[in-house]
Amino acid sequence: MPPRIRRALARRAAPEEVPDRVSALPDEALHAVLSLLPAHDAVRTCVLARRWRHLWEHAPALRVTDVEGWNPRLRGDGLGRFIRFVDGLFVSRRRCDAPLELCDLDFDFPEDKGKDWHVNRWIMLALLRHHARVLRISLPAYITLPDVPLISQRLTRLELDGVLGNDNILDFSCCPALIALKMKCCRINAEKMSSPSVKILSLASCEFYPATRTQMSFPSVVSLELDGCSGSVPFLESMPSLTDVTIVSLVTVATILALIAAIILTAANAFLEATHLELSAEPAMYVFRRDLNLLLACHTFAKLKTLALGEWCMTHDLSALIRFLQQSPILEKLTIKIPEEPKCSMDAGQQKIPEEPFVSNHLKIVEIKCKGKEVMWVCKFLKTLGTFGIPLEKINIKLTSEHCRSECELI
């Protein structure tokens, strides 16, 4: 075969070169992509090409995850290599002048005496040296945070999961830019929690267990969420800006009642200034219903526009529901959540119609959410609401089966 033909065939058989469009992107775009990766994957990109050697160091987010990937047994040199790797991450970022937008520490350390020391050192490096704007700490093994206040002029959001908080670490006065504080599955052993700047405060599945009630001082809070908390009921100081309150799935009826009373009595009536309120817990007992009626009889929710109630309001006479509606003159949306198997019986007594009807001129929609086939409860709510002039056109029933819907329509 002539050489000219062989060269032509070789060129035809050779694969076409695919242009590297990723590397053609500007550094800012590549930094944004690398910030979405776990740190150990982001670092691996340094071997791709000369240009990629230091790109990961400038990523705006640092996500430290997956300690298990270093050693299946989480012991010995594997754990040591993980600690040295994380230390190296913070050292390497010294060459980067750009502050961190996000530092995410999400891993489960094995039982190790020095784990608290290492994690606390990384927290301080993230805040003091790299000026992280958002800090997330998720450590299911429970660590004790440092016994000193966090200090940051740039931190705006702090999320804690699985930590033990003491008085000093829960004093956020040295974080003047902090706006959102979210704590989940934390143990709070502090006499006081405070921040002059936090506007969004969320505590979920947290346990209060100091010898005295924890004093919570958050004067700028706009939104307060307490979900599944247990232990000693905290003491809430004045919250004059509070407009959004959610109290969900608290362990006992006594806890939810104490919290409602604490908010009303100690938060300068901020609870009564709320525009959104969600209360959900186990079924109420007689003492709870009596005390709640006393509270509602003395106060009016003058600004409340959306209200969500759980199983505890399901009594044979629906008195708690009626009382709430009476005391909420501008309510626009009501949501009632019926569990699959309500614990309260409808046969406990005859329903009493209150002497004073409530005004429902502003009410636009009522949502009744039913997970099971509790049709009789749905119809009981329909009849009660209809008694006070709420037409069926404003009621939206969300049932899990068409059988429930058709059966209710026939009653």
Side-chain angles (χ1 to χ4, degrees), residues 159 224 270 290 326 352:
E159 299 181 12
L224 173 64
R290 181 197 63 190
Q326 286 178 323
K352 297 180 181 179

Side-chain angles (χ1 to χ4, degrees), residues 394-411:
K394 292 184 178 181
I395 302 176
N396 182 13
I397 305 173
K398 295 185 177 181
L399 300 174
T400 56
S401 68
E402 290 300 323
H403 172 73
C404 294
R405 188 182 304 274
S406 60
E407 188 174 339
C408 183
E409 290 174 351
L410 294 176
I411 296 178

Side-chain angles (χ1 to χ4, degrees), residues 6 13 59 71 112 126 150 163 180 191 206 223 228 290 306 320 374 401:
R6 286 202 300 269
N71 191 309
D112 182 80
L150 296 180
V163 302
E191 293 185 0
C206 292
S223 174
R290 181 197 63 190
T306 60
E374 304 300 331
S401 68

Side-chain angles (χ1 to χ4, degrees), residues 279-284 288 308-315 318 336-344 377 381:
L279 300 174
S280 178
E282 291 296 319
F288 170 67
L309 301 176
E311 183 179 1
W312 65 268
C313 76
M314 295 175 60
T315 58
L318 300 182
I336 301 171
K337 301 177 182 179
I338 303 177
E340 189 170 357
E341 295 181 0
K343 297 180 177 63
C344 180
W377 272 108
F381 280 110

Side-chain angles (χ1 to χ4, degrees), residues 149-197:
L150 296 180
I151 301 175
S152 175
Q153 298 295 317
R154 192 169 182 266
L155 184 68
T156 60
R157 185 181 186 90
L158 177 62
E159 299 181 12
L160 304 175
D161 185 350
V163 302
L164 176 61
N166 50 46
D167 284 277
N168 285 325
I169 198 67
L170 296 178
D171 176 7
F172 302 104
S173 57
C174 295
C175 300
L178 186 63
I179 294 177
L181 172 61
K182 294 194 173 185
M183 300 179 66
K184 179 181 179 182
C185 298
C186 294
R187 295 176 180 175
I188 300 174
N189 186 17
E191 293 185 0
K192 185 173 183 178
M193 296 175 58
S194 62
S195 169
S197 58

Side-chain angles (χ1 to χ4, degrees), residues 15 39 60 63 67 70 97 106 119 163 169 181 222 246 286 324 344 360 379:
R63 304 176 187 272
V67 63
W70 294 85
D97 295 332
D106 185 0
V119 175
V163 302
I169 198 67
L181 172 61
V222 175
T246 302
Y286 171 74
F324 258 112
C344 180
S360 59
C379 295

Side-chain angles (χ1 to χ4, degrees), residues 125-257:
L125 287 172
L127 294 179
L128 298 178
R129 181 169 294 172
H130 301 289
H131 310 290
R133 187 178 64 85
V134 177
L135 178 61
R136 296 175 182 166
I137 305 172
S138 180
L139 304 167
Y142 275 117
I143 69 160
T144 301
L145 292 180
D147 194 18
V148 293
L150 296 180
I151 301 175
S152 175
Q153 298 295 317
R154 192 169 182 266
L155 184 68
T156 60
R157 185 181 186 90
L158 177 62
E159 299 181 12
L160 304 175
D161 185 350
V163 302
L164 176 61
N166 50 46
D167 284 277
N168 285 325
I169 198 67
L170 296 178
D171 176 7
F172 302 104
S173 57
C174 295
C175 300
L178 186 63
I179 294 177
L181 172 61
K182 294 194 173 185
M183 300 179 66
K184 179 181 179 182
C185 298
C186 294
R187 295 176 180 175
I188 300 174
N189 186 17
E191 293 185 0
K192 185 173 183 178
M193 296 175 58
S194 62
S195 169
S197 58
V198 165
K199 295 183 178 181
I200 301 173
L201 178 59
S202 174
L203 303 178
S205 301
C206 292
E207 180 183 1
F208 293 86
Y209 67 102
T212 59
R213 292 172 58 184
T214 300
Q215 184 178 354
M216 300 179 63
S217 178
F218 295 89
S220 300
V221 161
V222 175
S223 174
L224 173 64
E225 179 182 6
L226 299 170
D227 186 350
C229 297
S230 60
S232 302
V233 177
F235 179 85
L236 306 181
E237 289 190 357
S238 177
M239 298 180 182
S241 302
L242 187 64
T243 59
D244 191 332
V245 181
T246 302
I247 302 178
V248 184
S249 303
L250 294 179
V251 175
T252 63
V253 172
T255 304
I256 188 173
L257 174 60

